[in-house]
Amino acid sequence: MTSNLERYAERHARAADVVMAAVLCALTVFGARISTAESSPPENVWPARILAVVCGAAVLKSRSHPRAALVVTAAATAVMTGLDYLPSPLLLAPVIAALYWLAALTDSRTTAIYGYPTMAVLVATSLSAAPLGDNIMLRSAGTVLWLLLALALGGMSRFRRAYLESVQARASHAERTREEEARLRVAEERMRIARELHDAVAHHMAVANAQAGTAAHLATTHPEQARKILTDLVGTTSSALLELSATVSVLRETGDPEAGLLEPTPGLGRLPELVAGCESAGLTVTVTTEGRVRPLSPGVDLTAYRIIQEALTNATKHASDHAARVRLSYSDSRLLITVTNEGTAVTPSVPGGGYGLMGMRERAHSVGGDLRAGPRPEGGFEVATALPLQPRTQAEALAERQEENR
């Protein structure tokens, strides 16, 4: 029920203030009639009634002008206590309300500057109006305790409101962080799909184009060799379709019956097939392996395959000597891959490399590796990458991203 009243008061603040002002005015008038065995109230109650109305009007402005409301209610109450009205809690009710709003709506320094002098003034006027010993505890300690209670309740309200605001701010920040993380994941997934589409389509189409051109050139002079190249061309286009289907399958919904009919993710185990396809397109590929072959995680295995695939695709299109060398060097924690050709390679005109080179760098960085590509001093073109045998963890990726943002 209390929470319902609080919500109603928040929604109808003006009506609540009017009701409170009327109640406080009535309490003040009633409090002016209270007396003890040691004292009796003044016979004329009109000053108390007038001052009670003044206090009620001041309380109406407590939310918007808490300092002015406290000054007015304190002055009116000091006049009443100076006229020998007993400072009971009912008589002090408007000041108590004004102190509460002051403590709830302002800072601690303002509360202290206005609150403690108010208490001192009210105690002094109350004691000066009565003989020494006449209800001295009620006029001094009682007044101070009631006013301190108002300050304490107002401070608690301010702290509670600040706490709720901080909780809401943290919740909003967490929501924004989740949304940003979701957008980042979507962007990363789109980049991953774009890389897969580029690698799958660009390589096979480049090889297929070279095979078709070679077959057309040999069709009249070497028909048997042309027929063999055309057979290889069918395999190249079939592989392209399968890899394209595997890439697009990430967009399928869970439970799609066709999702399980796709070929597995490629890796270095399919390097001989890749070399055979390039050789059928007229590129001579030499593969050498150094060190003890170590198992790779699926992500690193796919990255290594795609980098070699893209490098051989570039060599197929640009290498003038139609030859390339692939070197795999295994160490305890990393795999070094180098793809070189002796001819003159035409580098892309896009700053920093074309989409193929950009994709290779992104793939290497995504697993915690590094890649460099460019012309060799002795001639030709070289792609070199160092990949960890196991990809970096999410914590390492997050730490690296935070370090880059600094």
Side-chain angles (χ1 to χ4, degrees):
M1 182 176 180
T2 303
S3 59
N4 292 335
L5 290 175
E6 290 179 355
R7 286 196 294 268
Y8 180 84
E10 291 176 357
R11 291 195 300 266
H12 305 85
R14 186 62 180 173
D17 289 345
V18 171
V19 172
M20 178 179 293
V23 171
L24 292 175
C25 182
L27 291 176
T28 304
V29 173
F30 184 74
R33 297 177 176 273
I34 297 177
S35 63
T36 63
E38 299 179 0
S39 65
S40 59
E43 295 181 0
N44 188 2
V45 297
W46 282 106
R49 292 176 180 177
I50 296 174
L51 293 173
V53 173
V54 173
C55 290
V59 170
L60 282 174
K61 299 295 183 179
S62 293
R63 293 180 187 268
S64 57
H65 301 84
R67 299 172 184 83
L70 176 63
V71 171
V72 172
T73 55
T77 305
V79 171
M80 285 189 285
T81 55
L83 294 175
D84 202 19
Y85 289 97
L86 187 68
S88 64
L90 298 181
L91 191 74
L92 297 174
V95 183
I96 293 174
L99 278 174
Y100 170 84
W101 286 116
L102 179 75
L105 300 178
T106 62
D107 55 89
S108 301
R109 183 173 180 271
T110 302
T111 301
I113 291 175
Y114 283 84
Y116 297 133
T118 297
M119 287 188 287
V121 169
L122 291 178
V123 171
T125 56
S126 179
L127 293 177
S128 64
L132 187 63
D134 186 12
N135 299 309
I136 187 171
M137 291 300 297
L138 179 61
R139 293 177 179 273
S140 58
T143 301
V144 171
L145 290 176
W146 283 109
L147 299 182
L148 283 176
L149 177 62
L151 292 177
L153 293 177
M156 290 174 58
S157 177
R158 183 178 72 250
F159 293 145
R160 178 174 176 271
R161 187 170 57 254
Y163 171 75
L164 293 178
E165 290 176 355
S166 66
V167 170
Q168 293 175 354
R170 287 197 298 269
S172 300
H173 176 72
E175 184 66 25
R176 288 195 301 271
T177 302
R178 284 194 297 268
E179 292 176 357
E180 292 173 0
E181 184 67 20
R183 286 195 294 268
L184 179 61
R185 291 182 181 275
V186 169
E188 290 178 347
E189 184 65 13
R190 291 177 62 185
M191 290 177 61
R192 188 185 72 82
I193 295 173
R195 286 196 301 265
E196 290 293 333
L197 286 173
H198 175 274
D199 292 345
V201 175
H203 167 73
H204 290 295
M205 291 302 100
V207 173
N209 180 69
Q211 289 173 332
T214 304
H217 178 71
L218 298 176
T220 56
T221 58
H222 299 81
E224 291 299 326
Q225 188 175 356
R227 187 178 297 108
K228 181 180 181 303
I229 293 175
L230 289 175
T231 302
D232 293 338
L233 176 60
V234 173
T236 300
T237 55
S238 298
S239 297
L241 290 174
L242 286 174
E243 287 205 29
L244 183 60
S245 298
T247 303
V248 175
S249 68
V250 300
L251 303 178
R252 296 183 182 276
E253 295 182 1
T254 304
D256 194 319
E258 298 183 12
L261 303 179
L262 305 172
E263 67 173 11
T265 302
L268 291 183
R270 292 181 53 183
L271 187 57
E273 300 177 22
L274 178 62
V275 171
C278 293
E279 289 180 342
S280 67
L283 180 70
T284 302
V285 182
T286 303
V287 180
T288 58
T289 303
E290 301 175 0
R292 182 169 63 88
V293 177
R294 298 175 180 274
L296 305 175
S297 68
V300 176
D301 198 17
L302 173 62
T303 298
Y305 177 85
R306 291 302 191 194
I307 290 176
I308 296 174
Q309 182 186 53
E310 179 63 26
L312 292 180
T313 300
N314 291 338
T316 301
K317 294 187 291 185
H318 302 303
S320 60
D321 63 345
H322 302 292
R325 294 198 305 274
V326 179
R327 182 169 65 91
L328 306 177
S329 178
Y330 290 86
S331 64
D332 292 336
S333 60
R334 304 182 76 81
L335 168 62
L336 304 180
I337 301 175
T338 306
V339 182
T340 59
N341 64 273
E342 298 295 344
T344 302
V346 180
T347 58
S349 59
V350 180
Y355 289 113
L357 298 182
M358 289 171 56
M360 286 192 290
R361 290 193 182 95
E362 290 171 357
R363 284 187 178 278
H365 293 163
S366 68
V367 296
D370 194 15
L371 182 140
R372 59 179 179 84
R376 304 168 63 202
E378 61 272 23
F381 198 80
E382 179 180 86
V383 175
T385 182
L387 304 177
L389 300 182
Q390 298 295 327
R392 60 183 178 179
T393 63
Q394 292 184 354
E396 294 172 342
L398 180 60
E400 180 177 339
R401 187 180 304 162
Q402 292 176 346
E403 185 65 26
E404 291 176 354
N405 293 334
R406 291 179 180 176

